[in-house]
Amino acid sequence: MPSGSISGSLSSPKVDVVIDTGNPFLNLTVDGFLKIGAVAVTRSVAEDTYNILRKGNISSNDFEKTLKKLCKEGAYWGTIAGVYVGMQYGSERILGTRDWKNAMVGGAVTGALASAVSNNKADKIAIDAITGAAIATAAEFINYLT
């Protein structure tokens, strides 16, 4: 009986943005801002394109709203990523080791800051810090597995 097999590998593309500010902390922070900001803009473009196609027409008002949303989303998520990467790098430098604890600290601080900027109460800020730490730590563990 004939048999066959398929083999291959799946890997994600690696995109490196080279910006040299002369400081590794700033380099990583700016890199995170640009990469995740670009992802947020792309997501927002896809979402608004779908909504416009579903509606059937576009007006200059829709176009202006879309551009404002692109800038806002890109800046917001880029800033979140920049804070996270910067905090993770800073804790790595302070603790002197590279492990999951750095991701946990970066996630917790980023979650707390993002929540505090949104004028949330102390309980919500604590919950968002815990959530940020949990997500960052889980992502780091998954990254170790691959």
Side-chain angles (χ1 to χ4, degrees), residues 34-53:
L34 292 175
K35 286 180 182 175
I36 300 303
V39 169
V41 166
T42 303
R43 186 203 65 82
S44 190
V45 165
E47 181 182 322
D48 285 352
T49 301
Y50 171 77
N51 290 333
I52 288 168
L53 290 174

Side-chain angles (χ1 to χ4, degrees), residues 67-89:
L67 285 177
K68 285 181 181 179
K69 183 179 173 189
L70 294 178
C71 293
K72 183 180 174 183
E73 291 287 318
Y76 178 78
W77 289 108
T79 302
I80 295 295
V83 169
Y84 171 72
V85 170
M87 293 308 302
Q88 186 176 13
Y89 178 77

